[in-house]
Amino acid sequence: MSGRLGIYSQVGNSSSIDSDAQAYIAAASIVDATEIAAVNQLFLDLKGTGSTTNNSNIYSKFYALYPISPTSLAASAVNAVNPSTYDITWFNSPTHAANGVTGNGTNMYGSTNFIPDASGASENNFGITLDIATSSGGGVDFGSNSYIHLAMVNPSYTYILGSLGASVSGTAYALGVRTMVRRAANDMEAYLNGSTEGSKNNLGSWSFNSDPLYIFCRNNGTNPAFFSNRRYRFCAIHEGLTSNEAKDLYDAITTFNANVISAGR
């Protein structure tokens, strides 16, 4: 048996695959049986029917979800929760490999095409998650101006959601899944690998700007700046998750990454 049906037969009948996972698999042209199974498990985990610690159903809280697919750079651009909406546009071809996508610290980056103030998102119910696999260099990992900002700096990692005053410092050069959320006007939290890194409650007011969020750099009014040369394995734009939900997202990402090892990682 050949084609996608043949692949599905290796992981079970296609009807056993979550319908949303199947839509992403088709959009990303994923045909490897191991990766298909990993994607299906990821969707089950995000919907609270898989193997996460708290079994939180957080699927509806994502604006964009980018599992870095071993298949290709193009597959890694697809927004898994709503393909063709907020898919990443890559510039200068970041380096794709089975273990993630890497920038060059000079001119490689991606636009998520997600514009916060045009998305229906709320400034006080918003968050970003990024799985960082290497710690070299400086620069900004993900962001737009100074209002939404994940950056590797010395001596601490910097999370910003709002003005420069709405920032939390974390462990510098620690690898893994970093999540920052703003759940209210007085509640910002930062997490590393599902555990709290810091919090802040004196945030001040802020408003989204009209620039798309960039990965591998910061979008300075449609101009990329402060480029990163690190490797990323997963990225997500979402609502302001609770601590239990942040832990479950970390679990889901960790399981996904482990499951695709035999697909090439």
Side-chain angles (χ1 to χ4, degrees):
M1 187 178 294
S2 61
R4 193 176 305 280
L5 183 58
I7 293 297
Y8 283 144
S9 70
Q10 299 176 51
V11 295
N13 188 278
S14 61
S15 63
S16 67
I17 297 176
D18 178 270
S19 59
D20 293 312
Q22 192 166 338
Y24 164 63
I25 289 163
S29 299
I30 296 169
V31 297
D32 179 87
T34 302
E35 187 178 354
I36 288 172
V39 167
N40 190 56
Q41 183 63 49
L42 172 66
F43 277 69
L44 296 178
D45 285 345
L46 296 175
K47 293 182 178 184
T49 58
S51 58
T52 60
T53 300
N54 305 292
N55 291 320
S56 305
N57 182 355
I58 56 176
Y59 182 77
S60 64
K61 296 193 171 187
F62 292 96
Y63 299 104
L65 187 78
Y66 309 105
I68 300 301
S69 168
T71 293
S72 66
L73 184 63
S76 300
V78 176
N79 174 9
V81 297
N82 193 0
S84 79
T85 301
Y86 309 134
D87 287 355
I88 293 174
T89 302
W90 298 114
F91 293 89
N92 301 309
S93 301
T95 301
H96 174 269
N99 62 356
V101 175
T102 306
N104 65 355
T106 305
N107 64 354
M108 293 177 175
Y109 69 103
S111 170
T112 66
N113 296 295
F114 180 87
I115 301 173
D117 71 352
S119 67
S122 167
E123 287 88 344
N124 293 317
N125 183 21
F126 191 72
I128 300 292
T129 293
L130 188 66
D131 184 7
I132 304 171
T134 55
S135 60
S136 60
V140 174
D141 296 300
F142 194 97
S144 175
N145 292 324
S146 62
Y147 301 105
I148 301 171
H149 185 93
L150 283 169
M152 188 83 77
V153 294
N154 190 10
S156 63
Y157 197 86
T158 301
Y159 306 81
I160 300 174
L161 271 177
S163 66
L164 288 174
S167 64
V168 172
S169 294
T171 307
Y173 307 116
L175 305 182
V177 178
R178 292 186 180 271
T179 295
M180 65 176 181
V181 298
R182 183 159 169 163
R183 297 189 288 243
N186 61 351
D187 182 7
M188 179 181 171
E189 304 283 338
Y191 301 90
L192 175 62
N193 295 332
S195 298
T196 299
E197 269 225 292
S199 63
K200 195 159 191 176
N201 56 25
N202 183 18
L203 301 176
S205 62
W206 72 303
S207 298
F208 285 137
N209 59 44
S210 58
D211 301 325
L213 300 181
Y214 284 1
I215 186 170
F216 290 110
C217 67
R218 190 176 83 190
N219 182 356
N220 278 359
T222 72
N223 295 311
F226 308 108
F227 291 93
S228 158
N229 64 350
R230 286 178 286 282
R231 173 164 52 90
Y232 307 133
R233 295 181 295 192
F234 205 103
C235 181
I237 305 169
H238 47 74
E239 295 179 1
L241 307 178
T242 67
S243 293
N244 282 352
E245 290 169 343
K247 169 61 175 171
D248 284 352
L249 177 55
Y250 164 71
D251 290 346
I253 293 171
T254 301
T255 298
F256 174 78
N257 285 337
N259 285 345
V260 294
I261 287 175
S262 56
R265 282 190 182 175

